[in-house]
Amino acid sequence: MITVEDWAEIRRLHRAEGLGIKTIARRLGIARNTVRVALAAHEPPKYHRKPAGSAVDAFEPAIRELLGQFPDMPATVIGERVGWTGSSSVLRARVALLRPLFRGADPADRTTYAAGHIVQCDLWFPAKVIPDGAGAWIAPPVLTMVAAYSRFVMAVMLPSRLSGDLLAGMWQLLAGLGAVPKTLVWDNEAGIGQHKRLTLPARTFAGTLGTRIYQTAARDPEAKGVVERANQYLQTSFMPGRSFTGGVDFNAQLAAWLPRANERKVRATGARPVDLLGADLAAMGALPPVAPTSAPPLRVRLARDYYVRVAGNDYSVDPQVIGRFVDIHPGLDRVMVTCAGQVVADHARSWASWQVITDPAHVAAAAELRTAFKDRCAATRGPVTATDVGLRELSDYDEMFALPVPAPRPNLQVVR
């Protein structure tokens, strides 16, 4: 069989140099019929070998019959049913080729996004690179939000994935954007809602903003593929070579890097996100005149130990309000406690867990209250002497409560 190199050289000598068939055959040392075949062929020669067949060919009709009834039957079960005793990899390869013929296809249409309509939201969990201040390394969630039309990326690290933190992070990013989209797309995140039933704080948040929170079906990541790709981009382009001193430092570095990320050219749109952001903002709604509440404050009665718990951490409160109801207002950066509208505690939010955050002023106030309480109790009771305590017979109590008089006990004489 003639090689591709000979075929190309024969055609060159004939077309470019004008040589005849005999001359070409003599120069290349090949038969004239070979030259004629090469000149008649407009495509390079290809090597074809008749397939030798496979041992599984004899089992293919039985395999097709089983797949026709049970398209999802595993290859191992099919092998048992048809009596296959050969290599399992050979059978699996043949089943993989035949299964699509019997299982219905699920095509996905190309999605197009209108300006200002959708912002996709998701949580990205980087590696454990954040020190929590208590000697451990943690991986807090990063809230990522992407405008689907312009591909504009927004992100912030949160202390937790609780409902209040998620909604507070969404408001922080939307306030920075300066507009509200028509729809916020989420997956089945528990802090937002599950099975397409939003939590009460999420419904309140959406109502205040005048938008809609849409939850995708379970196990359908393609429904928010824009933000999924953004998470991968953050993992591969932002994280390498960076170190952080805490969550605040992470957010500072991320905020400084995101403008550069939004100036890159996106292949799907052929433009930079910052160039399309104007169209997105023009089609979005305005921010509400009142900031939405991420979560209603938690009201508890302050116990004697004057601490309240927020996301697994205990924060001290002014002991002057022990026994009264206090309202806990957890934020992304601060934890504030109020009593009748007055601030009685204000702490920096801890990124660790199971920590006790104490204000020294609260400890000093508790010591003063404890000393004053002891002095007041001592002054009320006065000195106690032995004559202040009266002694009565037990029979007096029997008469007071009309108890039956017990029978006299007989004298028992011990005989030795």
Short mmCIF file of all heavy atoms in Angstrom, two decimals, residues 226-276:
data_model
loop_
_atom_site.label_atom_id
_atom_site.label_comp_id
_atom_site.label_asym_id
_atom_site.label_seq_id
_atom_site.Cartn_x
_atom_site.Cartn_y
_atom_site.Cartn_z
N VAL A 226 -23.26 29.72 36.29
CA VAL A 226 -22.44 30.94 36.23
C VAL A 226 -21.69 31.14 37.54
O VAL A 226 -20.48 31.40 37.56
CB VAL A 226 -23.34 32.15 35.91
CG1 VAL A 226 -22.54 33.44 36.00
CG2 VAL A 226 -23.94 32.01 34.52
N VAL A 227 -22.38 30.99 38.67
CA VAL A 227 -21.71 31.19 39.95
C VAL A 227 -20.82 30.00 40.29
O VAL A 227 -19.80 30.16 40.98
CB VAL A 227 -22.76 31.44 41.06
CG1 VAL A 227 -23.55 30.19 41.37
CG2 VAL A 227 -22.10 31.99 42.31
N GLU A 228 -21.15 28.80 39.80
CA GLU A 228 -20.27 27.65 40.02
C GLU A 228 -18.92 27.87 39.34
O GLU A 228 -17.86 27.56 39.90
CB GLU A 228 -20.93 26.37 39.49
CG GLU A 228 -22.20 25.95 40.21
CD GLU A 228 -21.93 25.35 41.57
OE1 GLU A 228 -20.74 25.15 41.92
OE2 GLU A 228 -22.91 25.07 42.30
N ARG A 229 -18.93 28.41 38.13
CA ARG A 229 -17.68 28.71 37.44
C ARG A 229 -16.92 29.83 38.14
O ARG A 229 -15.69 29.84 38.17
CB ARG A 229 -17.95 29.06 35.98
CG ARG A 229 -18.31 27.85 35.13
CD ARG A 229 -18.36 28.21 33.67
NE ARG A 229 -19.51 29.04 33.36
CZ ARG A 229 -20.71 28.58 33.04
NH1 ARG A 229 -20.93 27.27 33.02
NH2 ARG A 229 -21.69 29.40 32.76
N ALA A 230 -17.65 30.78 38.72
CA ALA A 230 -16.99 31.85 39.46
C ALA A 230 -16.29 31.30 40.70
O ALA A 230 -15.19 31.75 41.05
CB ALA A 230 -18.01 32.91 39.85
N ASN A 231 -16.92 30.34 41.38
CA ASN A 231 -16.26 29.71 42.53
C ASN A 231 -14.97 29.02 42.13
O ASN A 231 -13.95 29.12 42.83
CB ASN A 231 -17.21 28.70 43.17
CG ASN A 231 -18.36 29.36 43.90
OD1 ASN A 231 -18.29 30.54 44.25
ND2 ASN A 231 -19.43 28.62 44.14
N GLN A 232 -14.99 28.32 40.99
CA GLN A 232 -13.78 27.67 40.51
C GLN A 232 -12.71 28.70 40.15
O GLN A 232 -11.52 28.49 40.40
CB GLN A 232 -14.12 26.79 39.30
CG GLN A 232 -12.95 26.01 38.75
CD GLN A 232 -12.41 24.98 39.74
OE1 GLN A 232 -13.15 24.50 40.58
NE2 GLN A 232 -11.15 24.64 39.63
N TYR A 233 -13.14 29.81 39.59
CA TYR A 233 -12.19 30.87 39.24
C TYR A 233 -11.55 31.46 40.49
O TYR A 233 -10.34 31.74 40.51
CB TYR A 233 -12.92 31.95 38.43
CG TYR A 233 -12.06 33.13 38.07
CD1 TYR A 233 -11.00 33.00 37.17
CD2 TYR A 233 -12.31 34.38 38.61
CE1 TYR A 233 -10.21 34.08 36.84
CE2 TYR A 233 -11.53 35.47 38.28
CZ TYR A 233 -10.48 35.32 37.39
OH TYR A 233 -9.70 36.39 37.06
N LEU A 234 -12.33 31.67 41.54
CA LEU A 234 -11.77 32.17 42.79
C LEU A 234 -10.77 31.18 43.37
O LEU A 234 -9.72 31.57 43.89
CB LEU A 234 -12.90 32.42 43.79
CG LEU A 234 -13.83 33.60 43.50
CD1 LEU A 234 -15.00 33.59 44.47
CD2 LEU A 234 -13.09 34.92 43.59
N GLN A 235 -11.09 29.89 43.29
CA GLN A 235 -10.21 28.87 43.85
C GLN A 235 -8.87 28.82 43.12
O GLN A 235 -7.82 28.67 43.74
CB GLN A 235 -10.90 27.51 43.78
CG GLN A 235 -10.10 26.35 44.37
CD GLN A 235 -9.92 26.48 45.87
OE1 GLN A 235 -10.86 26.78 46.58
NE2 GLN A 235 -8.71 26.26 46.35
N THR A 236 -8.88 28.97 41.81
CA THR A 236 -7.66 28.80 41.02
C THR A 236 -6.90 30.10 40.79
O THR A 236 -5.70 30.06 40.51
CB THR A 236 -8.00 28.18 39.66
OG1 THR A 236 -8.96 29.01 38.97
CG2 THR A 236 -8.58 26.78 39.84
N SER A 237 -7.56 31.24 40.91
CA SER A 237 -6.89 32.50 40.59
C SER A 237 -6.66 33.40 41.80
O SER A 237 -5.73 34.20 41.80
CB SER A 237 -7.72 33.28 39.55
OG SER A 237 -7.86 32.54 38.36
N PHE A 238 -7.49 33.30 42.82
CA PHE A 238 -7.30 34.15 43.99
C PHE A 238 -6.51 33.48 45.10
O PHE A 238 -5.65 34.10 45.73
CB PHE A 238 -8.68 34.58 44.54
CG PHE A 238 -8.61 35.29 45.85
CD1 PHE A 238 -8.09 36.57 45.93
CD2 PHE A 238 -9.04 34.67 47.02
CE1 PHE A 238 -8.02 37.24 47.15
CE2 PHE A 238 -8.96 35.32 48.24
CZ PHE A 238 -8.45 36.61 48.31
N MET A 239 -6.75 32.20 45.35
CA MET A 239 -6.17 31.54 46.51
C MET A 239 -4.68 31.25 46.41
O MET A 239 -3.96 31.38 47.40
CB MET A 239 -6.92 30.23 46.78
CG MET A 239 -8.33 30.43 47.30
SD MET A 239 -8.39 31.31 48.87
CE MET A 239 -7.54 30.14 49.93
N PRO A 240 -4.13 30.83 45.25
CA PRO A 240 -2.72 30.41 45.22
C PRO A 240 -1.77 31.49 45.70
O PRO A 240 -1.84 32.65 45.29
CB PRO A 240 -2.49 30.07 43.74
CG PRO A 240 -3.84 29.73 43.21
CD PRO A 240 -4.78 30.64 43.93
N GLY A 241 -0.85 31.09 46.60
CA GLY A 241 0.19 31.98 47.07
C GLY A 241 -0.24 32.99 48.10
O GLY A 241 0.55 33.89 48.42
N ARG A 242 -1.42 32.87 48.66
CA ARG A 242 -1.89 33.85 49.64
C ARG A 242 -1.94 33.25 51.04
O ARG A 242 -2.16 32.06 51.21
CB ARG A 242 -3.29 34.37 49.27
CG ARG A 242 -3.32 35.21 48.00
CD ARG A 242 -4.72 35.74 47.75
NE ARG A 242 -4.78 36.51 46.52
CZ ARG A 242 -4.60 37.82 46.44
NH1 ARG A 242 -4.35 38.50 47.56
NH2 ARG A 242 -4.67 38.46 45.29
N SER A 243 -1.74 34.11 52.02
CA SER A 243 -1.89 33.74 53.43
C SER A 243 -2.72 34.82 54.10
O SER A 243 -2.71 35.98 53.67
CB SER A 243 -0.54 33.58 54.12
OG SER A 243 0.19 34.80 54.06
N PHE A 244 -3.41 34.45 55.18
CA PHE A 244 -4.35 35.36 55.81
C PHE A 244 -4.16 35.30 57.32
O PHE A 244 -3.85 34.26 57.89
CB PHE A 244 -5.80 34.99 55.45
CG PHE A 244 -6.01 34.77 53.97
CD1 PHE A 244 -5.98 33.49 53.44
CD2 PHE A 244 -6.23 35.84 53.13
CE1 PHE A 244 -6.18 33.28 52.09
CE2 PHE A 244 -6.42 35.65 51.77
CZ PHE A 244 -6.39 34.37 51.25
N THR A 245 -4.39 36.45 57.95
CA THR A 245 -4.32 36.52 59.41
C THR A 245 -5.67 36.33 60.06
O THR A 245 -5.75 36.20 61.28
CB THR A 245 -3.74 37.88 59.84
OG1 THR A 245 -4.58 38.93 59.34
CG2 THR A 245 -2.33 38.05 59.28
N GLY A 246 -6.73 36.32 59.28
CA GLY A 246 -8.07 36.14 59.82
C GLY A 246 -9.11 36.43 58.75
O GLY A 246 -8.78 36.73 57.59
N GLY A 247 -10.37 36.34 59.15
CA GLY A 247 -11.44 36.60 58.20
C GLY A 247 -11.46 38.02 57.70
O GLY A 247 -11.77 38.28 56.53
N VAL A 248 -11.13 38.98 58.56
CA VAL A 248 -11.11 40.39 58.13
C VAL A 248 -10.03 40.60 57.09
O VAL A 248 -10.24 41.30 56.08
CB VAL A 248 -10.91 41.31 59.35
CG1 VAL A 248 -10.80 42.76 58.92
CG2 VAL A 248 -12.06 41.14 60.34
N ASP A 249 -8.86 40.00 57.29
CA ASP A 249 -7.78 40.12 56.31
C ASP A 249 -8.16 39.45 55.00
O ASP A 249 -7.84 39.95 53.91
CB ASP A 249 -6.50 39.51 56.88
CG ASP A 249 -5.32 39.64 55.93
OD1 ASP A 249 -5.18 40.68 55.30
OD2 ASP A 249 -4.55 38.66 55.81
N PHE A 250 -8.85 38.31 55.06
CA PHE A 250 -9.29 37.63 53.85
C PHE A 250 -10.21 38.54 53.04
O PHE A 250 -10.05 38.69 51.82
CB PHE A 250 -10.00 36.34 54.21
CG PHE A 250 -10.45 35.53 53.03
CD1 PHE A 250 -9.68 34.47 52.55
CD2 PHE A 250 -11.66 35.79 52.39
CE1 PHE A 250 -10.09 33.71 51.47
CE2 PHE A 250 -12.08 35.04 51.30
CZ PHE A 250 -11.29 34.00 50.84
N ASN A 251 -11.17 39.17 53.70
CA ASN A 251 -12.10 40.04 52.99
C ASN A 251 -11.40 41.27 52.42
O ASN A 251 -11.77 41.77 51.35
CB ASN A 251 -13.24 40.47 53.92
CG ASN A 251 -14.26 39.36 54.11
OD1 ASN A 251 -14.48 38.55 53.23
ND2 ASN A 251 -14.90 39.33 55.27
N ALA A 252 -10.39 41.76 53.13
CA ALA A 252 -9.66 42.92 52.61
C ALA A 252 -8.90 42.56 51.34
O ALA A 252 -8.91 43.31 50.35
CB ALA A 252 -8.70 43.45 53.68
N GLN A 253 -8.22 41.42 51.35
CA GLN A 253 -7.50 40.99 50.14
C GLN A 253 -8.46 40.66 49.00
O GLN A 253 -8.19 40.97 47.83
CB GLN A 253 -6.62 39.78 50.46
CG GLN A 253 -5.49 40.06 51.44
CD GLN A 253 -4.52 38.90 51.52
OE1 GLN A 253 -4.20 38.25 50.53
NE2 GLN A 253 -4.05 38.62 52.74
N LEU A 254 -9.58 40.05 49.33
CA LEU A 254 -10.55 39.71 48.30
C LEU A 254 -11.16 40.96 47.67
O LEU A 254 -11.34 41.04 46.44
CB LEU A 254 -11.65 38.84 48.90
CG LEU A 254 -12.75 38.33 47.94
CD1 LEU A 254 -12.14 37.48 46.83
CD2 LEU A 254 -13.79 37.54 48.70
N ALA A 255 -11.48 41.97 48.49
CA ALA A 255 -12.04 43.21 47.97
C ALA A 255 -11.05 43.95 47.07
O ALA A 255 -11.44 44.59 46.09
CB ALA A 255 -12.48 44.11 49.12
N ALA A 256 -9.75 43.84 47.38
CA ALA A 256 -8.74 44.49 46.54
C ALA A 256 -8.52 43.74 45.23
O ALA A 256 -8.11 44.34 44.23
CB ALA A 256 -7.43 44.60 47.30
N TRP A 257 -8.80 42.43 45.21
CA TRP A 257 -8.55 41.62 44.01
C TRP A 257 -9.73 41.59 43.05
O TRP A 257 -9.57 41.47 41.84
CB TRP A 257 -8.20 40.20 44.44
CG TRP A 257 -7.98 39.24 43.32
CD1 TRP A 257 -6.84 39.07 42.59
CD2 TRP A 257 -8.94 38.30 42.79
NE1 TRP A 257 -7.02 38.08 41.63
CE2 TRP A 257 -8.31 37.60 41.74
CE3 TRP A 257 -10.25 38.00 43.11
CZ2 TRP A 257 -8.95 36.60 41.02
CZ3 TRP A 257 -10.89 37.01 42.39
CH2 TRP A 257 -10.24 36.33 41.35
N LEU A 258 -10.95 41.68 43.56
CA LEU A 258 -12.14 41.55 42.73
C LEU A 258 -12.23 42.56 41.59
O LEU A 258 -12.67 42.20 40.49
CB LEU A 258 -13.40 41.63 43.60
CG LEU A 258 -13.76 40.34 44.35
CD1 LEU A 258 -14.96 40.57 45.27
CD2 LEU A 258 -14.06 39.20 43.37
N PRO A 259 -11.84 43.84 41.75
CA PRO A 259 -11.88 44.74 40.59
C PRO A 259 -11.03 44.25 39.42
O PRO A 259 -11.42 44.41 38.25
CB PRO A 259 -11.35 46.06 41.16
CG PRO A 259 -11.70 46.01 42.61
CD PRO A 259 -11.53 44.57 42.99
N ARG A 260 -9.90 43.65 39.70
CA ARG A 260 -9.08 43.10 38.61
C ARG A 260 -9.78 41.92 37.97
O ARG A 260 -9.72 41.73 36.75
CB ARG A 260 -7.72 42.67 39.16
CG ARG A 260 -6.86 43.82 39.66
CD ARG A 260 -5.67 43.31 40.45
NE ARG A 260 -5.00 42.20 39.79
CZ ARG A 260 -4.18 41.38 40.40
NH1 ARG A 260 -3.95 41.53 41.70
NH2 ARG A 260 -3.59 40.42 39.74
N ALA A 261 -10.44 41.09 38.79
CA ALA A 261 -11.14 39.92 38.24
C ALA A 261 -12.29 40.35 37.33
O ALA A 261 -12.56 39.69 36.32
CB ALA A 261 -11.67 39.05 39.38
N ASN A 262 -12.95 41.44 37.67
CA ASN A 262 -14.08 41.89 36.85
C ASN A 262 -13.64 42.67 35.61
O ASN A 262 -14.50 43.11 34.84
CB ASN A 262 -15.02 42.76 37.70
CG ASN A 262 -15.82 41.93 38.69
OD1 ASN A 262 -16.33 40.87 38.35
ND2 ASN A 262 -15.92 42.41 39.91
N GLU A 263 -12.35 42.85 35.44
CA GLU A 263 -11.85 43.49 34.22
C GLU A 263 -11.32 42.49 33.21
O GLU A 263 -10.85 42.87 32.14
CB GLU A 263 -10.74 44.48 34.58
CG GLU A 263 -11.23 45.69 35.36
CD GLU A 263 -10.10 46.63 35.74
OE1 GLU A 263 -8.93 46.24 35.50
OE2 GLU A 263 -10.36 47.71 36.29
N ARG A 264 -11.42 41.19 33.54
CA ARG A 264 -10.97 40.18 32.59
C ARG A 264 -12.04 39.99 31.52
O ARG A 264 -13.23 40.28 31.74
CB ARG A 264 -10.71 38.85 33.31
CG ARG A 264 -11.98 38.09 33.63
CD ARG A 264 -11.77 36.98 34.63
NE ARG A 264 -12.92 36.10 34.73
CZ ARG A 264 -14.04 36.39 35.38
NH1 ARG A 264 -14.16 37.55 35.99
NH2 ARG A 264 -15.03 35.52 35.42
N LYS A 265 -11.64 39.50 30.37
CA LYS A 265 -12.59 39.23 29.30
C LYS A 265 -13.17 37.84 29.47
O LYS A 265 -12.44 36.85 29.57
CB LYS A 265 -11.90 39.35 27.94
CG LYS A 265 -12.85 39.23 26.75
CD LYS A 265 -12.13 39.46 25.44
CE LYS A 265 -13.09 39.38 24.27
NZ LYS A 265 -12.40 39.62 22.97
N VAL A 266 -14.49 37.75 29.51
CA VAL A 266 -15.19 36.48 29.70
C VAL A 266 -15.46 35.87 28.33
O VAL A 266 -16.01 36.53 27.44
CB VAL A 266 -16.51 36.68 30.48
CG1 VAL A 266 -17.24 35.36 30.67
CG2 VAL A 266 -16.22 37.32 31.83
N ARG A 267 -15.09 34.62 28.15
CA ARG A 267 -15.25 33.97 26.85
C ARG A 267 -16.71 33.82 26.46
O ARG A 267 -17.08 33.95 25.30
CB ARG A 267 -14.58 32.60 26.88
CG ARG A 267 -14.61 31.88 25.55
CD ARG A 267 -13.90 30.55 25.63
NE ARG A 267 -14.54 29.66 26.58
CZ ARG A 267 -14.12 28.42 26.83
NH1 ARG A 267 -13.04 27.96 26.23
NH2 ARG A 267 -14.75 27.67 27.72
N ALA A 268 -17.59 33.56 27.44
CA ALA A 268 -19.00 33.33 27.12
C ALA A 268 -19.68 34.57 26.56
O ALA A 268 -20.59 34.47 25.73
CB ALA A 268 -19.75 32.85 28.36
N THR A 269 -19.27 35.76 27.00
CA THR A 269 -19.89 37.00 26.54
C THR A 269 -19.04 37.77 25.56
O THR A 269 -19.55 38.63 24.84
CB THR A 269 -20.21 37.91 27.74
OG1 THR A 269 -18.99 38.24 28.43
CG2 THR A 269 -21.15 37.20 28.71
N GLY A 270 -17.74 37.47 25.54
CA GLY A 270 -16.84 38.21 24.66
C GLY A 270 -16.57 39.62 25.12
O GLY A 270 -16.10 40.46 24.34
N ALA A 271 -16.89 39.94 26.39
CA ALA A 271 -16.69 41.28 26.92
C ALA A 271 -16.26 41.20 28.37
O ALA A 271 -16.29 40.13 28.99
CB ALA A 271 -17.97 42.11 26.79
N ARG A 272 -15.84 42.33 28.91
CA ARG A 272 -15.47 42.39 30.32
C ARG A 272 -16.70 42.66 31.17
O ARG A 272 -17.60 43.39 30.75
CB ARG A 272 -14.43 43.48 30.55
CG ARG A 272 -13.16 43.34 29.73
CD ARG A 272 -12.15 44.41 30.10
NE ARG A 272 -12.73 45.75 30.00
CZ ARG A 272 -12.15 46.86 30.47
NH1 ARG A 272 -10.98 46.76 31.09
NH2 ARG A 272 -12.72 48.04 30.33
N PRO A 273 -16.78 42.08 32.38
CA PRO A 273 -17.95 42.32 33.23
C PRO A 273 -18.19 43.80 33.53
O PRO A 273 -19.34 44.24 33.58
CB PRO A 273 -17.63 41.53 34.50
CG PRO A 273 -16.73 40.43 34.03
CD PRO A 273 -15.90 41.04 32.94
N VAL A 274 -17.11 44.58 33.70
CA VAL A 274 -17.29 46.00 34.01
C VAL A 274 -17.91 46.74 32.84
O VAL A 274 -18.57 47.77 33.03
CB VAL A 274 -15.95 46.62 34.42
CG1 VAL A 274 -15.47 46.08 35.75
CG2 VAL A 274 -14.88 46.40 33.35
N ASP A 275 -17.71 46.24 31.62
CA ASP A 275 -18.29 46.92 30.46
C ASP A 275 -19.79 46.65 30.33
O ASP A 275 -20.52 47.47 29.77
CB ASP A 275 -17.57 46.48 29.19
CG ASP A 275 -16.10 46.87 29.19
OD1 ASP A 275 -15.76 47.86 29.87
OD2 ASP A 275 -15.30 46.17 28.53
N LEU A 276 -20.25 45.49 30.81
CA LEU A 276 -21.67 45.15 30.72
C LEU A 276 -22.43 45.48 32.00
O LEU A 276 -23.66 45.34 32.02
CB LEU A 276 -21.83 43.66 30.42
CG LEU A 276 -21.21 43.15 29.11
CD1 LEU A 276 -21.42 41.65 28.97
CD2 LEU A 276 -21.80 43.89 27.91
#
